[in-house]
Amino acid sequence: MFQARRFQHCPTCGGLIDYRIPADDNRPRATCTVCGTIHYENPLNVVGTLPVWNDQVLLCRRAIEPRLGKWTLPAGFMELGETVAEGAARETDEEAGARFELHNLYCVMNVVRVGQVHLFYRATLLSPEFNPGPETLEAKLFHEHEVPWDELAFHTVRETLQRFFDDRRRGEGYPLHTADID
Amino acid sequence: MFQARRFQHCPTCGGLIDYRIPADDNRPRATCTVCGTIHYENPLNVVGTLPVWNDQVLLCRRAIEPRLGKWTLPAGFMELGETVAEGAARETDEEAGARFELHNLYCVMNVVRVGQVHLFYRATLLSPEFNPGPETLEAKLFHEHEVPWDELAFHTVRETLQRFFDDRRRGEGYPLHTADID
């Protein structure tokens, strides 16, 4: 089972951490050997959009690690103080500088291996012009046959794009997709 | 904006934490004054089910804080090493000891005030018998008119139940609901 075990010291008092199974629990937790506080580690949400302009999709080429130089949908870690939709919109603004209208929550994908859930909203671009931020080398529109499938940054980006093109061909709308990704 | 600010010491080296805005960032992060490591704080997922037996729904009366004695759908914090669906199923097993079949992801609700996203799957119970765990005082089936609306533990439980009864009356299926809850 995936375990983060990223604590060596207690964030509360600075004491040494030991990973122990608490009395009323069934898995090891970061437990302070000094003050006894238990610190939990849980999956994180990555939130983003699938932005569409007519029959093209927007991808961003990453200017940062991981996967520097690879293409991604605009997405990043959800922050405290925002909803999933607000986070998805913020990332689209930060990474692509795009103007868009947000639609429905389209993909919820578990990436258990890295302790993440990726959530993508569909979006319609209001303009084909972009103003990418420092995390993006280039923001560009792609027809389906132009998508750089071998140069995509993340499996969830590939899976989300594939479902979108399939749904578009089928012509019966864009229902929620849930999936588990290796 | 909601900020956790739960770090006083660095989980890596035990040094004192200062909340600073990193050079390439726009919000304060827990930054170690000794080793310089930045520790991020992000929203957590609460995952659960809406279990149905014929025209009744299953609720659990909480044996633990918060909201001890109040009624809830089976749900809890998503753990590392599991998918949203696996977490929802685990909580239903732990809190109700129910046998069930899981259906679609039904509600994704932001509770920004506490930095949480609540995700509920629909489920059909395979038996009206339960074996609640230590976190539950009582697991019980309710017709719509019997639901203890004033004794529910969480707003997202109320909102999920209301949407379910509305959808059932409408008779057109159970599509995904997204909502922002105060």
Side-chain angles (χ1 to χ4, degrees):
Chain A
M1 182 190 301
F2 177 75
Q3 288 284 350
R5 295 190 179 245
R6 67 185 177 88
F7 289 84
Q8 284 90 51
H9 290 265
C10 173
T12 305
C13 80
L16 280 175
I17 286 289
D18 186 27
Y19 276 80
R20 296 175 187 166
I21 302 177
D24 55 353
D25 206 335
N26 52 23
R27 61 186 80 200
R29 308 287 185 183
T31 308
C32 181
T33 57
V34 178
C35 73
T37 304
I38 298 171
H39 302 280
Y40 294 88
E41 291 154 278
N42 301 86
L44 298 181
N45 291 335
V46 171
V47 295
T49 61
L50 166 51
V52 175
W53 174 256
N54 298 325
D55 53 352
Q56 295 176 288
V57 297
L58 171 64
L59 295 174
C60 299
R61 201 150 75 85
R62 289 173 63 83
I64 53 170
E65 294 290 357
R67 316 291 161 78
L68 193 154
K70 303 291 186 186
W71 293 91
T72 185
L73 292 166
F77 286 108
M78 184 179 177
E79 298 274 10
L80 293 171
E82 68 188 12
T83 66
V84 173
E86 286 166 353
R90 176 183 51 72
E91 290 289 344
T92 308
D93 178 46
E94 287 177 6
E95 299 196 350
R99 292 176 50 239
F100 55 91
E101 182 190 354
L102 216 59
H103 302 304
N104 62 311
L105 179 57
Y106 182 55
C107 282
V108 176
M109 293 180 166
N110 299 283
V111 196
V112 172
R113 184 177 45 83
V114 293
Q116 295 177 1
V117 182
H118 291 204
L119 303 103
F120 289 97
Y121 271 79
R122 281 194 317 118
T124 297
L125 290 162
L126 302 175
S127 147
E129 271 146 48
F130 313 115
N131 180 26
E135 298 185 3
T136 301
L137 294 170
E138 185 183 0
K140 196 174 153 189
L141 294 169
F142 292 86
H143 291 99
E144 181 174 2
H145 69 274
E146 298 167 331
V147 169
W149 294 103
D150 295 334
E151 296 292 318
L152 295 179
F154 305 106
H155 290 312
T156 54
V157 169
R158 165 190 293 271
E159 299 276 338
T160 299
L161 289 170
Q162 284 174 340
R163 280 163 177 74
F164 171 72
F165 291 127
D166 285 349
D167 281 345
R168 193 172 65 177
R169 257 190 299 279
R170 201 169 288 125
E172 295 173 359
Y174 299 93
L176 177 76
H177 293 276
T178 56
D180 304 336
I181 308 295
D182 288 336
Chain B
M1 184 189 302
F2 177 75
Q3 288 286 350
R5 296 193 179 242
R6 68 184 176 91
F7 290 83
Q8 283 91 50
H9 290 267
C10 174
T12 305
C13 81
L16 280 175
I17 287 289
D18 186 28
Y19 277 81
R20 296 176 186 164
I21 301 176
D24 55 353
D25 206 336
N26 54 24
R27 62 186 77 200
R29 308 287 185 184
T31 308
C32 180
T33 56
V34 178
C35 74
T37 304
I38 298 169
H39 302 279
Y40 295 88
E41 290 153 279
N42 301 85
L44 298 180
N45 291 334
V46 171
V47 295
T49 61
L50 167 51
V52 176
W53 174 256
N54 298 324
D55 54 351
Q56 294 175 289
V57 297
L58 171 65
L59 295 175
C60 299
R61 200 151 73 88
R62 290 173 63 82
I64 55 171
E65 294 290 356
R67 315 290 160 81
L68 193 155
K70 302 292 185 186
W71 293 91
T72 184
L73 292 166
F77 285 108
M78 185 180 177
E79 298 275 9
L80 293 170
E82 68 187 12
T83 65
V84 174
E86 287 167 351
R90 176 183 50 73
E91 290 288 346
T92 307
D93 177 46
E94 287 177 5
E95 299 197 348
R99 293 176 51 238
F100 55 91
E101 183 190 353
L102 216 60
H103 303 304
N104 63 311
L105 179 58
Y106 182 55
C107 281
V108 176
M109 293 182 165
N110 299 283
V111 195
V112 172
R113 184 176 45 82
V114 292
Q116 296 177 359
V117 182
H118 291 203
L119 302 103
F120 289 98
Y121 271 79
R122 281 194 317 119
T124 298
L125 290 163
L126 303 176
S127 147
E129 271 147 47
F130 313 114
N131 180 24
E135 297 186 4
T136 300
L137 293 170
E138 183 182 2
K140 195 173 156 190
L141 294 169
F142 293 86
H143 290 97
E144 181 174 1
H145 69 274
E146 299 167 331
V147 169
W149 294 104
D150 293 335
E151 296 292 318
L152 295 179
F154 305 107
H155 290 313
T156 54
V157 169
R158 164 191 295 273
E159 298 276 337
T160 298
L161 288 170
Q162 285 175 338
R163 280 163 178 75
F164 170 72
F165 292 127
D166 285 350
D167 281 345
R168 192 170 67 177
R169 256 189 299 280
R170 204 170 286 123
E172 296 173 0
Y174 299 94
L176 177 76
H177 293 277
T178 56
D180 304 337
I181 309 293
D182 286 338

